[in-house]
Amino acid sequence: MTMLLNFLKLNGYGIYVWPAYGLVAGLLALHLFLPWRRWRALNKKPKDAHAQTQ
Amino acid sequence: MFKKPLLQKMLSQTQVFLTRVMSPPYFFSFAEKCLPWFVAVFVAALAYGLIGGLFLAPADYLQGEGFRILYVHVPCAFLSLMIYSVMAVAAAFGLIWRLKLAFAVMRQSAPLGMVFTFLALVTGSLWGKPMWGTYWIWDARLTSELILLFLYLGILALHSALPNRRLADHATAILVLIGFVDIPIIHYSVNWWNTLHQGSTLRLLAPSLIAPSMLYPLLAMTVAFCAYYAIALILRLRCALLSESGAR
């Protein structure tokens, strides 16, 4: 636990380093997720339309 | 006498080649084949880069553990310039050879470039606070990078403001080509002006000014971010082409 906390603190620089990594990871994940979700929605459309007509 | 037909022949052959390569069916087959490879490269390079950058690389003698922001800041800054260069090439191809896919690459790259520029500025400012004592300074490198962010915003705004798709593509392509002047300014700003931002650490024609134990994870992270751009661009292009064909 102490080792993990020491690692997260990064000698006092953790407060700058982890927000930077977190922001990069969050925004990049979002920009992969959004087109992937749109692609899935575009591919589902005909099926849903077919289901609605029935 | 001989030059003109040869040039015309070369241009027409290039057009035939590009029209074939940059056609939507060819793109969809290319995307299907390449996407898993890009994902594999991304995962492998990211894993090595993160382990190497966060655990294996020693602390910097001057900046201590704070230098580890380098592993996200440098790839973001590199991608912000690289994506704009890709957009400029795509804009030129679109204007010269009227390739729809080239305009689509330009359009779909802009939001990604904007995100990377924003991230480069934010991570840089988070690095600047402990090292320089300030989050922001009107330094040549920082200011020119901020101009790049405004350029991306301007490109997105211009494209969405024009209702005619063809006109929007052409106007945006011209703006992209004019804005390309900012790319060498950003790159050489640390050489042309006295800046607080450090000079180039990675150099193509000379040994790098960084120890190999710190350098290799940085190169791996840069490769991972390039693979990420390829994946995100393919996903966005697939959606754009499919929705465009559906709209027609």
Side-chain angles (χ1 to χ4, degrees), chain A residues 7 10-11 13 16-17 20-21 23-24 27-28 31-32 35 38-39 42, chain B residues 54-55 63 65-66 68-69 71 115 119 122 126 129-130 228 238-239 243:
Chain A
F7 170 69
L10 287 176
N11 284 340
Y13 290 109
Y16 302 106
V17 174
Y21 275 79
L23 189 68
V24 170
L27 273 181
L28 295 192
H31 272 262
L32 272 187
R38 199 173 155 220
W39 174 252
L42 279 169
Chain B
L54 290 173
F55 299 100
Q63 304 189 19
E65 301 283 1
R68 294 188 199 280
I69 295 182
Y71 296 108
V115 166
L119 287 173
V122 174
L126 282 167
K129 180 62 181 167
Y228 169 89
R238 280 198 320 192
C239 293
S243 57

PDB file of all heavy atoms in Angstrom, chain A residues 7 10-11 13 16-17 20-21 23-24 27-28 31-32 35 38-39 42, chain B residues 54-55 63 65-66 68-69 71 115 119 122 126 129-130 228 238-239 243:
ATOM      1  N   PHE A   7       4.338   5.569  -5.236  1.00  0.00           N
ATOM      2  CA  PHE A   7       4.366   5.613  -6.709  1.00  0.00           C
ATOM      3  C   PHE A   7       3.390   6.673  -7.227  1.00  0.00           C
ATOM      4  O   PHE A   7       3.717   7.446  -8.122  1.00  0.00           O
ATOM      5  CB  PHE A   7       4.022   4.236  -7.278  1.00  0.00           C
ATOM      6  CG  PHE A   7       3.799   4.242  -8.762  1.00  0.00           C
ATOM      7  CD1 PHE A   7       4.868   4.469  -9.638  1.00  0.00           C
ATOM      8  CD2 PHE A   7       2.538   4.067  -9.311  1.00  0.00           C
ATOM      9  CE1 PHE A   7       4.675   4.505 -11.002  1.00  0.00           C
ATOM     10  CE2 PHE A   7       2.335   4.114 -10.677  1.00  0.00           C
ATOM     11  CZ  PHE A   7       3.406   4.321 -11.530  1.00  0.00           C
ATOM     12  N   LEU A  10       4.687  10.271  -6.765  1.00  0.00           N
ATOM     13  CA  LEU A  10       5.786  10.638  -7.687  1.00  0.00           C
ATOM     14  C   LEU A  10       6.613  11.807  -7.132  1.00  0.00           C
ATOM     15  O   LEU A  10       6.870  12.795  -7.850  1.00  0.00           O
ATOM     16  CB  LEU A  10       5.233  10.988  -9.071  1.00  0.00           C
ATOM     17  CG  LEU A  10       4.716   9.841  -9.950  1.00  0.00           C
ATOM     18  CD1 LEU A  10       4.129  10.385 -11.236  1.00  0.00           C
ATOM     19  CD2 LEU A  10       5.813   8.844 -10.280  1.00  0.00           C
ATOM     20  N   ASN A  11       6.982  11.693  -5.894  1.00  0.00           N
ATOM     21  CA  ASN A  11       7.787  12.738  -5.221  1.00  0.00           C
ATOM     22  C   ASN A  11       7.142  14.120  -5.281  1.00  0.00           C
ATOM     23  O   ASN A  11       7.834  15.129  -5.468  1.00  0.00           O
ATOM     24  CB  ASN A  11       9.202  12.808  -5.812  1.00  0.00           C
ATOM     25  CG  ASN A  11      10.061  11.676  -5.325  1.00  0.00           C
ATOM     26  OD1 ASN A  11       9.772  11.057  -4.293  1.00  0.00           O
ATOM     27  ND2 ASN A  11      11.115  11.377  -6.063  1.00  0.00           N
ATOM     28  N   TYR A  13       5.099  15.192  -7.614  1.00  0.00           N
ATOM     29  CA  TYR A  13       4.710  15.598  -8.971  1.00  0.00           C
ATOM     30  C   TYR A  13       3.439  14.891  -9.444  1.00  0.00           C
ATOM     31  O   TYR A  13       2.923  15.212 -10.520  1.00  0.00           O
ATOM     32  CB  TYR A  13       5.829  15.309  -9.977  1.00  0.00           C
ATOM     33  CG  TYR A  13       7.029  16.208  -9.801  1.00  0.00           C
ATOM     34  CD1 TYR A  13       8.233  15.721  -9.295  1.00  0.00           C
ATOM     35  CD2 TYR A  13       6.963  17.557 -10.143  1.00  0.00           C
ATOM     36  CE1 TYR A  13       9.326  16.540  -9.135  1.00  0.00           C
ATOM     37  CE2 TYR A  13       8.056  18.384  -9.988  1.00  0.00           C
ATOM     38  CZ  TYR A  13       9.235  17.869  -9.487  1.00  0.00           C
ATOM     39  OH  TYR A  13      10.320  18.694  -9.334  1.00  0.00           O
ATOM     40  N   TYR A  16       0.454  16.736 -10.823  1.00  0.00           N
ATOM     41  CA  TYR A  16       0.506  17.258 -12.192  1.00  0.00           C
ATOM     42  C   TYR A  16       0.496  16.122 -13.217  1.00  0.00           C
ATOM     43  O   TYR A  16      -0.091  16.247 -14.290  1.00  0.00           O
ATOM     44  CB  TYR A  16       1.770  18.100 -12.404  1.00  0.00           C
ATOM     45  CG  TYR A  16       1.867  19.258 -11.445  1.00  0.00           C
ATOM     46  CD1 TYR A  16       2.764  19.240 -10.379  1.00  0.00           C
ATOM     47  CD2 TYR A  16       1.036  20.366 -11.590  1.00  0.00           C
ATOM     48  CE1 TYR A  16       2.839  20.302  -9.487  1.00  0.00           C
ATOM     49  CE2 TYR A  16       1.103  21.427 -10.705  1.00  0.00           C
ATOM     50  CZ  TYR A  16       2.007  21.390  -9.660  1.00  0.00           C
ATOM     51  OH  TYR A  16       2.066  22.440  -8.781  1.00  0.00           O
ATOM     52  N   VAL A  17       1.204  15.025 -12.884  1.00  0.00           N
ATOM     53  CA  VAL A  17       1.382  13.943 -13.864  1.00  0.00           C
ATOM     54  C   VAL A  17       0.068  13.182 -14.097  1.00  0.00           C
ATOM     55  O   VAL A  17      -0.335  12.987 -15.251  1.00  0.00           O
ATOM     56  CB  VAL A  17       2.493  12.967 -13.408  1.00  0.00           C
ATOM     57  CG1 VAL A  17       2.590  11.767 -14.345  1.00  0.00           C
ATOM     58  CG2 VAL A  17       3.841  13.694 -13.351  1.00  0.00           C
ATOM     59  N   ALA A  20      -2.698  14.834 -16.148  1.00  0.00           N
ATOM     60  CA  ALA A  20      -2.300  14.881 -17.558  1.00  0.00           C
ATOM     61  C   ALA A  20      -2.597  13.530 -18.226  1.00  0.00           C
ATOM     62  O   ALA A  20      -3.223  13.477 -19.298  1.00  0.00           O
ATOM     63  CB  ALA A  20      -0.816  15.215 -17.682  1.00  0.00           C
ATOM     64  N   TYR A  21      -2.182  12.431 -17.584  1.00  0.00           N
ATOM     65  CA  TYR A  21      -2.434  11.098 -18.148  1.00  0.00           C
ATOM     66  C   TYR A  21      -3.946  10.813 -18.202  1.00  0.00           C
ATOM     67  O   TYR A  21      -4.445  10.241 -19.173  1.00  0.00           O
ATOM     68  CB  TYR A  21      -1.733  10.018 -17.307  1.00  0.00           C
ATOM     69  CG  TYR A  21      -0.289   9.805 -17.698  1.00  0.00           C
ATOM     70  CD1 TYR A  21       0.698  10.695 -17.272  1.00  0.00           C
ATOM     71  CD2 TYR A  21       0.100   8.733 -18.488  1.00  0.00           C
ATOM     72  CE1 TYR A  21       2.028  10.525 -17.626  1.00  0.00           C
ATOM     73  CE2 TYR A  21       1.434   8.553 -18.839  1.00  0.00           C
ATOM     74  CZ  TYR A  21       2.385   9.436 -18.409  1.00  0.00           C
ATOM     75  OH  TYR A  21       3.696   9.261 -18.768  1.00  0.00           O
ATOM     76  N   LEU A  23      -6.495  12.955 -18.376  1.00  0.00           N
ATOM     77  CA  LEU A  23      -7.174  13.755 -19.403  1.00  0.00           C
ATOM     78  C   LEU A  23      -6.920  13.177 -20.794  1.00  0.00           C
ATOM     79  O   LEU A  23      -7.849  13.049 -21.603  1.00  0.00           O
ATOM     80  CB  LEU A  23      -6.680  15.205 -19.330  1.00  0.00           C
ATOM     81  CG  LEU A  23      -7.444  16.206 -20.184  1.00  0.00           C
ATOM     82  CD1 LEU A  23      -8.853  16.405 -19.662  1.00  0.00           C
ATOM     83  CD2 LEU A  23      -6.727  17.548 -20.215  1.00  0.00           C
ATOM     84  N   VAL A  24      -5.664  12.812 -21.050  1.00  0.00           N
ATOM     85  CA  VAL A  24      -5.320  12.231 -22.360  1.00  0.00           C
ATOM     86  C   VAL A  24      -6.100  10.935 -22.558  1.00  0.00           C
ATOM     87  O   VAL A  24      -6.753  10.734 -23.599  1.00  0.00           O
ATOM     88  CB  VAL A  24      -3.796  11.988 -22.469  1.00  0.00           C
ATOM     89  CG1 VAL A  24      -3.460  11.177 -23.710  1.00  0.00           C
ATOM     90  CG2 VAL A  24      -3.050  13.319 -22.503  1.00  0.00           C
ATOM     91  N   LEU A  27     -10.034  11.673 -23.013  1.00  0.00           N
ATOM     92  CA  LEU A  27     -10.437  12.279 -24.292  1.00  0.00           C
ATOM     93  C   LEU A  27     -10.191  11.329 -25.468  1.00  0.00           C
ATOM     94  O   LEU A  27     -11.001  11.252 -26.387  1.00  0.00           O
ATOM     95  CB  LEU A  27      -9.687  13.588 -24.517  1.00  0.00           C
ATOM     96  CG  LEU A  27     -10.346  14.832 -23.916  1.00  0.00           C
ATOM     97  CD1 LEU A  27      -9.530  16.068 -24.210  1.00  0.00           C
ATOM     98  CD2 LEU A  27     -11.746  15.039 -24.481  1.00  0.00           C
ATOM     99  N   LEU A  28      -9.063  10.593 -25.423  1.00  0.00           N
ATOM    100  CA  LEU A  28      -8.776   9.677 -26.532  1.00  0.00           C
ATOM    101  C   LEU A  28      -9.764   8.511 -26.531  1.00  0.00           C
ATOM    102  O   LEU A  28     -10.206   8.069 -27.601  1.00  0.00           O
ATOM    103  CB  LEU A  28      -7.328   9.174 -26.466  1.00  0.00           C
ATOM    104  CG  LEU A  28      -6.237  10.241 -26.654  1.00  0.00           C
ATOM    105  CD1 LEU A  28      -4.885   9.591 -26.866  1.00  0.00           C
ATOM    106  CD2 LEU A  28      -6.536  11.166 -27.834  1.00  0.00           C
ATOM    107  N   HIS A  31     -12.992   9.711 -28.049  1.00  0.00           N
ATOM    108  CA  HIS A  31     -12.930   9.864 -29.499  1.00  0.00           C
ATOM    109  C   HIS A  31     -12.831   8.537 -30.237  1.00  0.00           C
ATOM    110  O   HIS A  31     -12.905   8.508 -31.469  1.00  0.00           O
ATOM    111  CB  HIS A  31     -11.794  10.800 -29.893  1.00  0.00           C
ATOM    112  CG  HIS A  31     -12.242  12.228 -29.898  1.00  0.00           C
ATOM    113  ND1 HIS A  31     -12.609  12.889 -31.034  1.00  0.00           N
ATOM    114  CD2 HIS A  31     -12.457  13.083 -28.886  1.00  0.00           C
ATOM    115  CE1 HIS A  31     -13.005  14.099 -30.730  1.00  0.00           C
ATOM    116  NE2 HIS A  31     -12.919  14.249 -29.425  1.00  0.00           N
ATOM    117  N   LEU A  32     -12.596   7.437 -29.520  1.00  0.00           N
ATOM    118  CA  LEU A  32     -12.711   6.112 -30.145  1.00  0.00           C
ATOM    119  C   LEU A  32     -14.124   5.582 -29.961  1.00  0.00           C
ATOM    120  O   LEU A  32     -14.686   4.952 -30.853  1.00  0.00           O
ATOM    121  CB  LEU A  32     -11.742   5.122 -29.493  1.00  0.00           C
ATOM    122  CG  LEU A  32     -10.331   5.039 -30.046  1.00  0.00           C
ATOM    123  CD1 LEU A  32      -9.598   3.901 -29.402  1.00  0.00           C
ATOM    124  CD2 LEU A  32     -10.320   4.860 -31.558  1.00  0.00           C
ATOM    125  N   PRO A  35     -17.190   7.370 -32.510  1.00  0.00           N
ATOM    126  CA  PRO A  35     -17.378   6.830 -33.869  1.00  0.00           C
ATOM    127  C   PRO A  35     -17.730   5.351 -33.881  1.00  0.00           C
ATOM    128  O   PRO A  35     -18.471   4.908 -34.763  1.00  0.00           O
ATOM    129  CB  PRO A  35     -16.032   7.073 -34.555  1.00  0.00           C
ATOM    130  CG  PRO A  35     -15.078   7.402 -33.507  1.00  0.00           C
ATOM    131  CD  PRO A  35     -15.847   7.894 -32.332  1.00  0.00           C
ATOM    132  N   ARG A  38     -21.366   5.182 -33.277  1.00  0.00           N
ATOM    133  CA  ARG A  38     -22.082   5.655 -34.464  1.00  0.00           C
ATOM    134  C   ARG A  38     -22.077   4.581 -35.555  1.00  0.00           C
ATOM    135  O   ARG A  38     -23.072   4.376 -36.251  1.00  0.00           O
ATOM    136  CB  ARG A  38     -21.410   6.936 -34.967  1.00  0.00           C
ATOM    137  CG  ARG A  38     -22.302   7.725 -35.874  1.00  0.00           C
ATOM    138  CD  ARG A  38     -21.723   9.067 -36.228  1.00  0.00           C
ATOM    139  NE  ARG A  38     -22.285   9.503 -37.503  1.00  0.00           N
ATOM    140  CZ  ARG A  38     -21.604  10.104 -38.453  1.00  0.00           C
ATOM    141  NH1 ARG A  38     -20.329  10.359 -38.290  1.00  0.00           N
ATOM    142  NH2 ARG A  38     -22.178  10.469 -39.575  1.00  0.00           N
ATOM    143  N   TRP A  39     -20.931   3.902 -35.702  1.00  0.00           N
ATOM    144  CA  TRP A  39     -20.790   2.828 -36.688  1.00  0.00           C
ATOM    145  C   TRP A  39     -21.779   1.701 -36.389  1.00  0.00           C
ATOM    146  O   TRP A  39     -22.431   1.175 -37.266  1.00  0.00           O
ATOM    147  CB  TRP A  39     -19.344   2.323 -36.669  1.00  0.00           C
ATOM    148  CG  TRP A  39     -19.098   1.129 -37.532  1.00  0.00           C
ATOM    149  CD1 TRP A  39     -18.858  -0.151 -37.127  1.00  0.00           C
ATOM    150  CD2 TRP A  39     -19.051   1.094 -38.968  1.00  0.00           C
ATOM    151  NE1 TRP A  39     -18.679  -0.963 -38.194  1.00  0.00           N
ATOM    152  CE2 TRP A  39     -18.790  -0.242 -39.349  1.00  0.00           C
ATOM    153  CE3 TRP A  39     -19.220   2.055 -39.961  1.00  0.00           C
ATOM    154  CZ2 TRP A  39     -18.682  -0.626 -40.662  1.00  0.00           C
ATOM    155  CZ3 TRP A  39     -19.108   1.656 -41.283  1.00  0.00           C
ATOM    156  CH2 TRP A  39     -18.842   0.338 -41.623  1.00  0.00           C
ATOM    157  N   LEU A  42     -25.258   2.887 -37.238  1.00  0.00           N
ATOM    158  CA  LEU A  42     -25.478   2.921 -38.692  1.00  0.00           C
ATOM    159  C   LEU A  42     -25.717   1.522 -39.237  1.00  0.00           C
ATOM    160  O   LEU A  42     -26.512   1.320 -40.142  1.00  0.00           O
ATOM    161  CB  LEU A  42     -24.257   3.549 -39.388  1.00  0.00           C
ATOM    162  CG  LEU A  42     -24.186   5.072 -39.390  1.00  0.00           C
ATOM    163  CD1 LEU A  42     -22.814   5.525 -39.864  1.00  0.00           C
ATOM    164  CD2 LEU A  42     -25.268   5.669 -40.270  1.00  0.00           C
TER     165      LEU A  42
ATOM    166  N   LEU B  54       6.611   4.888 -17.181  1.00  0.00           N
ATOM    167  CA  LEU B  54       6.206   5.104 -15.785  1.00  0.00           C
ATOM    168  C   LEU B  54       7.030   4.284 -14.786  1.00  0.00           C
ATOM    169  O   LEU B  54       7.177   4.676 -13.630  1.00  0.00           O
ATOM    170  CB  LEU B  54       4.720   4.776 -15.612  1.00  0.00           C
ATOM    171  CG  LEU B  54       3.741   5.748 -16.280  1.00  0.00           C
ATOM    172  CD1 LEU B  54       2.318   5.232 -16.188  1.00  0.00           C
ATOM    173  CD2 LEU B  54       3.821   7.133 -15.645  1.00  0.00           C
ATOM    174  N   PHE B  55       7.551   3.117 -15.206  1.00  0.00           N
ATOM    175  CA  PHE B  55       8.228   2.235 -14.244  1.00  0.00           C
ATOM    176  C   PHE B  55       9.721   2.068 -14.527  1.00  0.00           C
ATOM    177  O   PHE B  55      10.531   2.045 -13.607  1.00  0.00           O
ATOM    178  CB  PHE B  55       7.568   0.847 -14.239  1.00  0.00           C
ATOM    179  CG  PHE B  55       6.121   0.879 -13.842  1.00  0.00           C
ATOM    180  CD1 PHE B  55       5.129   0.824 -14.806  1.00  0.00           C
ATOM    181  CD2 PHE B  55       5.749   0.984 -12.507  1.00  0.00           C
ATOM    182  CE1 PHE B  55       3.795   0.859 -14.458  1.00  0.00           C
ATOM    183  CE2 PHE B  55       4.413   1.028 -12.152  1.00  0.00           C
ATOM    184  CZ  PHE B  55       3.433   0.965 -13.118  1.00  0.00           C
ATOM    185  N   GLN B  63      14.530  17.414 -13.450  1.00  0.00           N
ATOM    186  CA  GLN B  63      13.083  17.571 -13.295  1.00  0.00           C
ATOM    187  C   GLN B  63      12.460  16.510 -12.399  1.00  0.00           C
ATOM    188  O   GLN B  63      11.249  16.539 -12.169  1.00  0.00           O
ATOM    189  CB  GLN B  63      12.397  17.530 -14.661  1.00  0.00           C
ATOM    190  CG  GLN B  63      12.935  18.563 -15.618  1.00  0.00           C
ATOM    191  CD  GLN B  63      12.097  18.657 -16.880  1.00  0.00           C
ATOM    192  OE1 GLN B  63      10.957  18.241 -16.936  1.00  0.00           O
ATOM    193  NE2 GLN B  63      12.684  19.221 -17.918  1.00  0.00           N
ATOM    194  N   GLU B  65      10.636  13.291 -11.000  1.00  0.00           N
ATOM    195  CA  GLU B  65       9.562  12.441 -11.546  1.00  0.00           C
ATOM    196  C   GLU B  65       8.617  13.250 -12.429  1.00  0.00           C
ATOM    197  O   GLU B  65       7.821  12.671 -13.180  1.00  0.00           O
ATOM    198  CB  GLU B  65       8.759  11.808 -10.399  1.00  0.00           C
ATOM    199  CG  GLU B  65       9.581  10.950  -9.446  1.00  0.00           C
ATOM    200  CD  GLU B  65       9.914   9.577 -10.006  1.00  0.00           C
ATOM    201  OE1 GLU B  65       9.521   9.294 -11.155  1.00  0.00           O
ATOM    202  OE2 GLU B  65      10.581   8.813  -9.306  1.00  0.00           O
ATOM    203  N   GLY B  66       8.695  14.567 -12.358  1.00  0.00           N
ATOM    204  CA  GLY B  66       7.792  15.428 -13.132  1.00  0.00           C
ATOM    205  C   GLY B  66       7.977  15.279 -14.632  1.00  0.00           C
ATOM    206  O   GLY B  66       7.064  15.583 -15.402  1.00  0.00           O
ATOM    207  N   ARG B  68       7.820  12.775 -16.344  1.00  0.00           N
ATOM    208  CA  ARG B  68       7.026  11.684 -16.938  1.00  0.00           C
ATOM    209  C   ARG B  68       5.817  12.192 -17.740  1.00  0.00           C
ATOM    210  O   ARG B  68       5.207  11.423 -18.485  1.00  0.00           O
ATOM    211  CB  ARG B  68       6.590  10.690 -15.853  1.00  0.00           C
ATOM    212  CG  ARG B  68       7.779   9.965 -15.249  1.00  0.00           C
ATOM    213  CD  ARG B  68       7.431   8.845 -14.326  1.00  0.00           C
ATOM    214  NE  ARG B  68       8.574   8.528 -13.487  1.00  0.00           N
ATOM    215  CZ  ARG B  68       9.602   7.788 -13.871  1.00  0.00           C
ATOM    216  NH1 ARG B  68       9.620   7.259 -15.072  1.00  0.00           N
ATOM    217  NH2 ARG B  68      10.617   7.558 -13.055  1.00  0.00           N
ATOM    218  N   ILE B  69       5.499  13.473 -17.598  1.00  0.00           N
ATOM    219  CA  ILE B  69       4.437  14.059 -18.459  1.00  0.00           C
ATOM    220  C   ILE B  69       4.890  14.026 -19.929  1.00  0.00           C
ATOM    221  O   ILE B  69       4.067  13.995 -20.838  1.00  0.00           O
ATOM    222  CB  ILE B  69       4.091  15.495 -18.003  1.00  0.00           C
ATOM    223  CG1 ILE B  69       3.477  15.470 -16.608  1.00  0.00           C
ATOM    224  CG2 ILE B  69       3.128  16.184 -18.957  1.00  0.00           C
ATOM    225  CD1 ILE B  69       3.054  16.823 -16.071  1.00  0.00           C
ATOM    226  N   TYR B  71       5.796  11.682 -21.699  1.00  0.00           N
ATOM    227  CA  TYR B  71       5.306  10.539 -22.469  1.00  0.00           C
ATOM    228  C   TYR B  71       3.894  10.729 -23.012  1.00  0.00           C
ATOM    229  O   TYR B  71       3.439   9.924 -23.822  1.00  0.00           O
ATOM    230  CB  TYR B  71       5.412   9.249 -21.627  1.00  0.00           C
ATOM    231  CG  TYR B  71       6.854   8.938 -21.319  1.00  0.00           C
ATOM    232  CD1 TYR B  71       7.366   9.099 -20.035  1.00  0.00           C
ATOM    233  CD2 TYR B  71       7.721   8.547 -22.327  1.00  0.00           C
ATOM    234  CE1 TYR B  71       8.694   8.869 -19.766  1.00  0.00           C
ATOM    235  CE2 TYR B  71       9.050   8.320 -22.070  1.00  0.00           C
ATOM    236  CZ  TYR B  71       9.539   8.481 -20.793  1.00  0.00           C
ATOM    237  OH  TYR B  71      10.867   8.261 -20.538  1.00  0.00           O
ATOM    238  N   VAL B 115      -8.270  17.898 -30.855  1.00  0.00           N
ATOM    239  CA  VAL B 115      -8.147  17.241 -29.544  1.00  0.00           C
ATOM    240  C   VAL B 115      -6.673  17.103 -29.152  1.00  0.00           C
ATOM    241  O   VAL B 115      -6.287  17.397 -28.014  1.00  0.00           O
ATOM    242  CB  VAL B 115      -8.841  15.852 -29.571  1.00  0.00           C
ATOM    243  CG1 VAL B 115      -8.457  15.017 -28.363  1.00  0.00           C
ATOM    244  CG2 VAL B 115     -10.337  16.028 -29.607  1.00  0.00           C
ATOM    245  N   LEU B 119      -4.834  18.792 -26.010  1.00  0.00           N
ATOM    246  CA  LEU B 119      -4.134  17.966 -25.022  1.00  0.00           C
ATOM    247  C   LEU B 119      -2.659  18.380 -24.890  1.00  0.00           C
ATOM    248  O   LEU B 119      -2.108  18.383 -23.786  1.00  0.00           O
ATOM    249  CB  LEU B 119      -4.232  16.480 -25.402  1.00  0.00           C
ATOM    250  CG  LEU B 119      -5.600  15.838 -25.197  1.00  0.00           C
ATOM    251  CD1 LEU B 119      -5.622  14.420 -25.770  1.00  0.00           C
ATOM    252  CD2 LEU B 119      -5.977  15.797 -23.720  1.00  0.00           C
ATOM    253  N   VAL B 122      -2.705  21.511 -22.738  1.00  0.00           N
ATOM    254  CA  VAL B 122      -3.048  21.273 -21.324  1.00  0.00           C
ATOM    255  C   VAL B 122      -1.934  20.487 -20.624  1.00  0.00           C
ATOM    256  O   VAL B 122      -1.520  20.858 -19.512  1.00  0.00           O
ATOM    257  CB  VAL B 122      -4.407  20.537 -21.207  1.00  0.00           C
ATOM    258  CG1 VAL B 122      -4.694  20.154 -19.768  1.00  0.00           C
ATOM    259  CG2 VAL B 122      -5.532  21.426 -21.718  1.00  0.00           C
ATOM    260  N   LEU B 126       0.389  21.711 -17.552  1.00  0.00           N
ATOM    261  CA  LEU B 126       0.542  20.952 -16.300  1.00  0.00           C
ATOM    262  C   LEU B 126       2.021  20.641 -16.020  1.00  0.00           C
ATOM    263  O   LEU B 126       2.426  20.483 -14.874  1.00  0.00           O
ATOM    264  CB  LEU B 126      -0.252  19.638 -16.379  1.00  0.00           C
ATOM    265  CG  LEU B 126      -1.761  19.760 -16.173  1.00  0.00           C
ATOM    266  CD1 LEU B 126      -2.473  18.487 -16.582  1.00  0.00           C
ATOM    267  CD2 LEU B 126      -2.085  20.087 -14.720  1.00  0.00           C
ATOM    268  N   LYS B 129       3.839  24.212 -14.865  1.00  0.00           N
ATOM    269  CA  LYS B 129       3.650  24.754 -13.504  1.00  0.00           C
ATOM    270  C   LYS B 129       4.789  24.353 -12.548  1.00  0.00           C
ATOM    271  O   LYS B 129       5.404  25.214 -11.926  1.00  0.00           O
ATOM    272  CB  LYS B 129       2.267  24.319 -12.982  1.00  0.00           C
ATOM    273  CG  LYS B 129       1.930  24.812 -11.586  1.00  0.00           C
ATOM    274  CD  LYS B 129       1.869  26.319 -11.503  1.00  0.00           C
ATOM    275  CE  LYS B 129       1.551  26.776 -10.088  1.00  0.00           C
ATOM    276  NZ  LYS B 129       1.772  28.208  -9.900  1.00  0.00           N
ATOM    277  N   PRO B 130       5.109  23.044 -12.438  1.00  0.00           N
ATOM    278  CA  PRO B 130       6.194  22.700 -11.511  1.00  0.00           C
ATOM    279  C   PRO B 130       7.590  23.079 -12.031  1.00  0.00           C
ATOM    280  O   PRO B 130       8.503  23.282 -11.241  1.00  0.00           O
ATOM    281  CB  PRO B 130       6.068  21.180 -11.342  1.00  0.00           C
ATOM    282  CG  PRO B 130       5.327  20.710 -12.520  1.00  0.00           C
ATOM    283  CD  PRO B 130       4.461  21.823 -12.975  1.00  0.00           C
ATOM    284  N   TYR B 228      -3.225   5.132 -32.943  1.00  0.00           N
ATOM    285  CA  TYR B 228      -4.530   5.596 -32.451  1.00  0.00           C
ATOM    286  C   TYR B 228      -5.184   6.508 -33.496  1.00  0.00           C
ATOM    287  O   TYR B 228      -6.375   6.380 -33.790  1.00  0.00           O
ATOM    288  CB  TYR B 228      -4.370   6.351 -31.129  1.00  0.00           C
ATOM    289  CG  TYR B 228      -5.640   7.070 -30.715  1.00  0.00           C
ATOM    290  CD1 TYR B 228      -6.590   6.422 -29.948  1.00  0.00           C
ATOM    291  CD2 TYR B 228      -5.902   8.377 -31.130  1.00  0.00           C
ATOM    292  CE1 TYR B 228      -7.781   7.062 -29.605  1.00  0.00           C
ATOM    293  CE2 TYR B 228      -7.071   9.017 -30.798  1.00  0.00           C
ATOM    294  CZ  TYR B 228      -8.006   8.361 -30.030  1.00  0.00           C
ATOM    295  OH  TYR B 228      -9.178   8.994 -29.706  1.00  0.00           O
ATOM    296  N   ARG B 238     -15.285   5.615 -41.996  1.00  0.00           N
ATOM    297  CA  ARG B 238     -16.284   4.587 -42.311  1.00  0.00           C
ATOM    298  C   ARG B 238     -17.692   5.123 -42.063  1.00  0.00           C
ATOM    299  O   ARG B 238     -18.581   4.975 -42.894  1.00  0.00           O
ATOM    300  CB  ARG B 238     -16.057   3.349 -41.428  1.00  0.00           C
ATOM    301  CG  ARG B 238     -14.965   2.451 -41.918  1.00  0.00           C
ATOM    302  CD  ARG B 238     -15.018   1.071 -41.351  1.00  0.00           C
ATOM    303  NE  ARG B 238     -15.360   0.957 -39.960  1.00  0.00           N
ATOM    304  CZ  ARG B 238     -15.227  -0.161 -39.261  1.00  0.00           C
ATOM    305  NH1 ARG B 238     -14.749  -1.235 -39.841  1.00  0.00           N
ATOM    306  NH2 ARG B 238     -15.576  -0.217 -37.992  1.00  0.00           N
ATOM    307  N   CYS B 239     -17.857   5.757 -40.895  1.00  0.00           N
ATOM    308  CA  CYS B 239     -19.174   6.317 -40.546  1.00  0.00           C
ATOM    309  C   CYS B 239     -19.575   7.405 -41.541  1.00  0.00           C
ATOM    310  O   CYS B 239     -20.715   7.436 -42.012  1.00  0.00           O
ATOM    311  CB  CYS B 239     -19.145   6.927 -39.147  1.00  0.00           C
ATOM    312  SG  CYS B 239     -18.940   5.725 -37.862  1.00  0.00           S
ATOM    313  N   SER B 243     -22.761   7.128 -43.964  1.00  0.00           N
ATOM    314  CA  SER B 243     -23.925   8.024 -43.797  1.00  0.00           C
ATOM    315  C   SER B 243     -24.117   8.893 -45.031  1.00  0.00           C
ATOM    316  O   SER B 243     -25.252   9.218 -45.385  1.00  0.00           O
ATOM    317  CB  SER B 243     -23.777   8.884 -42.547  1.00  0.00           C
ATOM    318  OG  SER B 243     -22.605   9.613 -42.601  1.00  0.00           O
TER     319      SER B 243
END
